[in-house]
Amino acid sequence: MSNELIINSTQDGDRIALLQDKRLVEYHFESKDTDYIVGDIFLGTVKKVMPGLNAAFIDIGYQKDAFLHYHDLGANIKTLNKYVKAAQTQKNATPKLNQAKFEPEIDKLGKIADVLKKGQQLLVQIVKEPISTKGPRLSCELSLAGRYLVLVPFSNTVSVSKKIVSKEERTRLKRLITSIKPENFGVIIRTVAEGRDVAELDRDLRNMLANWEEGFKTLRIAKPNDKIIGELNRSSSILRDLLNESFDNIVVDNTQLYDEIKAYVQSIAPERVKILKHYTGKTKTFEHFHIEKQLKAAFGKTVTIPGGGYLVIEHTEALHVIDVNSGNKSNTETDQEATALHVNMMAAKEVARQLRLRDIGGIIVVDFIDMKSPENRQKVYEVVKEEMKRDRSKSTILPISKFGLMQITRQRVRPEQNIVTGEVCPTCGGTGKTSASILVTDEIDAAVDDLLTSHNHKSLEIYLHPFVHAYYTKGLFSRQVKWFFKYFRWVSLIKDTSLGIMEFKVMDSRGEEIELRSAFNDMNGVQDKDEE
C-alpha cells in the first residue's frame, strides 16, 4: 500500500491530505490563527475552583477558560508546582530532575480545593482542543511525544505499548530504555519502536530532553498565559506518527514549509529525506493530485459506497448517526441477505474511512441494513474492527445488535473536519437572476482582448471550469491557438474544478489576480436598479 502526504499552503492555513493508494483517507486543516494545539504546554492561572465539579477553570489566554478536572492533576502535582516556583524564583534552578525531591502524592479521591487556589500559577498541557462552545481540556500530567517514545517528567515508570505483543521484544525495549533514561523521567515506548536499535531510541530521547530544557528556559522568564513548550505543527506531527518505509512521497508547495519539514525529516529519519518533493507546477496542488474532487465527494451529507449503495451522515449535539442504504444497486446476489451482506461489507470500510477523514469523535451509531444471520453480522463487525486499526485515534466498537445498529466511541481531541460541499449557484450568485450561460465565453474573450491590447500585459493565466477549458482547447486550431496568432502572446488556460461554470480568474505574469468588471455584474446592477 502506497502512502503519500500532500501539503497545500493557502492564505488561511495549510491543507494536509493523506492518500493511500491515491485515495484520500485523512484530511486536516491547520489554520494560521490556531494557537491552541493538543500537546502544547502553557503557564496557566487558576480562575475558578469548582468543588461541586471537583474541577477548576484555568486561564491560558483562550477566549474561554480551559477545564481541568481533579483526576487530570496527576499524583505528583505538588512536585510539579514546587518545580515551577523554583524555576521562576531560584537562580540555581536546573531542568534536570535527578536531584528533585518529590512531594507526597495527592489522594486519588481527594478534593481539588485542597490542591489548587484561585490565582495560583501552574503548568498545564492541552489534551483536547476547543470544541463548539467548550474551551480546551487540560491535564497536569505532562508528556512530550517523540517518534518512538513519550517522555513523562516526574515519573520513573517505563511502559510499553500493548500493540507490541512479543514478550521478548517488550522485555528488550523495557530493559534498554531503563538503562538510558534519566532519573525521574518516565518513558512510554510507542508501537513504532518495535525492532529499533538503541541509537535511534537514544536520539529520540535526547531530542525530547532538549525540548524539556528549552521549555525550562522559557519558564524562567514566562508570564501568565505564555506558551512554554509548543507541539509540532499538524503536518510534522503526522510525519512523526506515520512516517515509515511505506511512504512514497511527501509533497509540499510552500518553500518555507518545505525547508521546515526537510529539517524535521532529517532529524528523525535522514534516510527518508529523498521522498520529500517541492511542488512548483502551475496547476493547483490539490487539483494536480485529484484531491479537490475527492473532498467534494467525501464531505457531503450523502456519500456513495464503492460498488453500490450510499451512506447518509447526520450530526446532532449528542452523537453522529450513519445510515447505510443499498440504493438502486443492481447485483448478482441470489437473495436479500446476500445483498445486505455485500452492501454492509463495503459500507463498513467506508464508515471507517469517513471517521478518519472527518475526524468524527464521540458517540457514533451506524444503522446497517438488517441481516438475519449472526454470522453475517459478525463478518461486518470484524471488517470495521480491522479497518479501524489504521486509525491513530482510540476507539471502542461494539458488535452489531439485533436491530442492525453498531455503536462506536472514538476519541475526540479536536473539532470535527467539515467542508461545505454545497455551492452558490455559479450563474446567479445566489440572487436567483441569471445571464445567458453562453455569455461567459464573450466575457473571457473581451477580458483577453482588453488586457493584451489596451493594458499591454505580456502574459496571462486564466483559471476556468473544465467544461469551459475544453471549449477553448479542443481541436488543432483551438480558440486558444487563434488567440496566439491574433495577439502574438500565449494565454495559459488552467482547469479549476473549484470554480463554477460561469466563473473564471485571470492572473498576470506575477501571479496576482486581475480584478475584472464582468458583464454579469453589470446586468445584476441594472436589474437591481429596475427593482428599486
Side-chain angles (χ1 to χ4, degrees):
M1 177 178 292
S2 67
N3 287 291
E4 295 177 287
L5 195 67
I6 315 297
I7 305 172
N8 168 227
S9 288
T10 68
Q11 290 182 342
D12 299 324
D14 298 326
R15 300 197 296 169
I16 305 163
L18 177 62
L19 306 181
Q20 289 181 348
D21 293 333
K22 305 295 181 183
R23 194 157 184 250
L24 184 66
V25 294
E26 277 191 37
Y27 173 79
H28 303 273
F29 178 73
E30 186 173 4
S31 172
K32 291 182 178 177
D33 298 330
T34 300
D35 294 323
Y36 301 91
I37 301 174
V38 170
D40 284 349
I41 298 175
F42 285 83
L43 181 62
T45 305
V46 179
K47 291 297 291 290
K48 295 178 185 176
V49 177
M50 309 291 287
L53 298 174
N54 206 16
F57 286 97
I58 313 296
D59 179 15
I60 59 170
Y62 188 67
Q63 58 191 12
K64 290 207 169 187
D65 290 338
F67 183 80
L68 174 64
H69 194 272
Y70 181 84
H71 292 154
D72 294 321
L73 290 176
N76 291 308
I77 179 64
K78 291 182 178 179
T79 306
L80 175 62
N81 288 340
K82 181 181 176 183
Y83 174 83
V84 172
K85 188 175 181 180
Q88 295 192 311
T89 60
Q90 297 179 12
K91 291 183 179 181
N92 60 346
T94 170
K96 296 180 180 179
L97 305 181
N98 55 340
Q99 296 180 353
K101 293 182 179 179
F102 277 48
E103 296 293 310
E105 295 185 357
I106 61 172
D107 185 357
K108 292 182 179 179
L109 303 177
K111 303 296 182 183
I112 198 162
D114 298 332
V115 182
L116 300 182
K117 305 297 180 187
K118 184 178 180 180
Q120 180 180 344
Q121 292 182 9
L122 71 164
L123 276 185
V124 290
Q125 185 167 32
I126 296 179
V127 295
K128 186 182 288 187
E129 288 181 18
I131 297 175
S132 185
T133 59
K134 300 175 182 177
R137 178 79 181 255
L138 305 177
S139 172
C140 289
E141 295 187 277
L142 308 182
S143 63
L144 279 72
R147 191 179 182 202
Y148 305 116
L149 310 170
V150 177
L151 187 69
V152 185
F154 306 103
S155 170
N156 277 299
T157 304
V158 176
S159 56
V160 186
S161 167
K162 293 179 181 178
K163 292 183 180 179
I164 300 178
V165 294
S166 167
K167 185 178 179 181
E168 293 78 10
E169 179 65 6
R170 292 176 67 89
T171 303
R172 181 187 78 90
L173 289 171
K174 198 166 185 178
R175 186 175 63 247
L176 194 156
I177 295 300
T178 302
S179 67
I180 63 174
K181 81 171 187 69
E183 190 178 352
N184 294 334
F185 280 98
V187 175
I188 300 170
I189 302 170
R190 306 180 74 177
T191 310
V192 288
E194 188 171 9
R196 300 295 173 179
D197 59 36
V198 64
E200 291 178 287
L201 300 177
D202 184 60
R203 183 172 65 223
D204 196 36
L205 182 62
R206 288 182 182 276
N207 286 340
M208 289 183 290
L209 288 169
N211 286 345
W212 176 256
E213 291 178 5
E214 283 298 317
F216 175 81
K217 293 177 183 177
T218 305
L219 178 61
R220 289 185 72 87
I221 57 173
K223 297 177 182 178
N225 304 342
D226 280 357
K227 185 186 293 186
I228 307 303
I229 299 176
E231 173 62 296
L232 297 169
N233 58 39
R234 193 72 53 83
S235 52
S236 295
S237 65
I238 291 174
L239 285 175
R240 179 189 65 201
D241 295 342
L242 296 179
L243 184 61
N244 53 40
E245 288 71 20
S246 68
F247 259 83
D248 298 324
N249 287 309
I250 304 168
V251 181
V252 188
D253 62 6
N254 178 276
T255 304
Q256 182 180 348
L257 189 59
Y258 171 81
D259 292 337
E260 290 176 9
I261 292 178
K262 184 176 181 180
Y264 179 69
V265 174
Q266 282 179 327
S267 70
I268 65 167
E271 72 282 0
R272 307 296 290 158
V273 172
K274 59 187 177 182
I275 67 173
L276 181 63
K277 297 179 175 61
H278 187 199
Y279 178 76
T280 56
K282 289 188 175 181
T283 307
K284 287 184 176 181
T285 312
F286 273 27
E287 288 283 348
H288 180 78
F289 291 96
H290 310 293
I291 298 170
E292 205 75 63
K293 186 176 180 181
Q294 291 193 58
L295 285 173
K296 293 284 186 181
F299 276 86
K301 177 181 175 181
T302 303
V303 179
T304 303
I305 302 171
Y310 62 93
L311 305 178
V312 178
I313 303 175
E314 293 275 9
H315 169 67
T316 72
E317 186 66 27
L319 49 77
H320 288 78
V321 181
I322 302 177
D323 185 33
V324 180
N325 296 276
S326 60
N328 56 357
K329 176 187 177 299
S330 59
N331 57 78
T332 57
E333 283 79 12
T334 55
D335 57 30
Q336 184 178 347
E337 183 77 6
T339 300
L341 176 62
H342 176 79
V343 174
N344 285 341
M345 293 281 275
M346 299 303 294
K349 296 180 180 180
E350 184 62 27
V351 165
R353 172 177 174 252
Q354 286 292 326
L355 297 186
R356 281 180 75 187
L357 194 56
R358 302 184 187 217
D359 205 3
I360 295 175
I363 301 173
I364 303 110
V365 177
V366 186
D367 183 9
F368 285 102
I369 299 172
D370 289 343
M371 294 175 291
K372 296 179 181 178
S373 167
E375 291 78 11
N376 289 342
R377 292 200 292 267
Q378 184 63 25
K379 286 180 182 177
V380 175
Y381 171 62
E382 294 296 335
V383 170
V384 175
K385 280 207 306 182
E386 185 62 31
E387 292 292 321
M388 293 289 283
K389 286 180 180 178
R390 302 173 187 171
D391 194 345
R392 288 179 296 145
S393 295
K394 297 177 183 177
S395 59
T396 303
I397 307 163
L398 298 183
I400 300 175
S401 70
K402 64 180 180 180
F403 300 114
L405 303 177
M406 173 182 284
Q407 298 171 68
I408 302 172
T409 61
R410 184 174 181 272
Q411 182 184 25
R412 176 163 59 181
V413 295
R414 56 182 60 90
E416 175 189 345
Q417 287 290 344
N418 186 28
I419 294 177
V420 178
T421 55
E423 298 177 354
V424 174
C425 174
T427 55
C428 74
T431 64
K433 304 161 188 173
T434 67
S435 60
S437 59
I438 198 171
L439 291 182
V440 68
T441 57
D442 293 343
E443 286 189 42
I444 295 172
D445 291 339
V448 169
D449 184 72
D450 182 53
L451 294 171
L452 293 182
T453 56
S454 302
H455 294 83
N456 202 29
H457 282 270
K458 293 183 179 180
S459 64
L460 296 174
E461 284 184 358
I462 303 179
Y463 290 81
L464 30 69
H465 190 277
F467 290 172
V468 183
H469 180 277
Y471 173 80
Y472 277 103
T473 57
K474 69 178 180 180
L476 183 61
F477 291 100
S478 64
R479 284 167 172 77
Q480 186 183 25
V481 172
K482 290 177 181 177
W483 278 343
F484 177 75
F485 286 116
K486 182 177 180 180
Y487 303 109
F488 295 103
R489 272 164 286 184
W490 185 251
V491 178
S492 298
L493 300 178
I494 301 170
K495 289 186 268 188
D496 189 344
T497 54
S498 67
L499 296 175
I501 198 168
M502 293 286 290
E503 297 177 302
F504 65 96
K505 292 192 297 186
V506 184
M507 317 293 280
D508 62 18
S509 57
R510 294 172 297 180
E512 297 178 357
E513 184 175 354
I514 300 171
E515 292 292 334
L516 299 172
R517 187 184 174 201
S518 69
F520 168 64
N521 290 334
D522 292 345
M523 185 206 72
N524 273 345
V526 171
Q527 288 177 331
D528 292 341
K529 287 180 181 178
D530 291 344
E531 287 182 353
E532 290 175 3

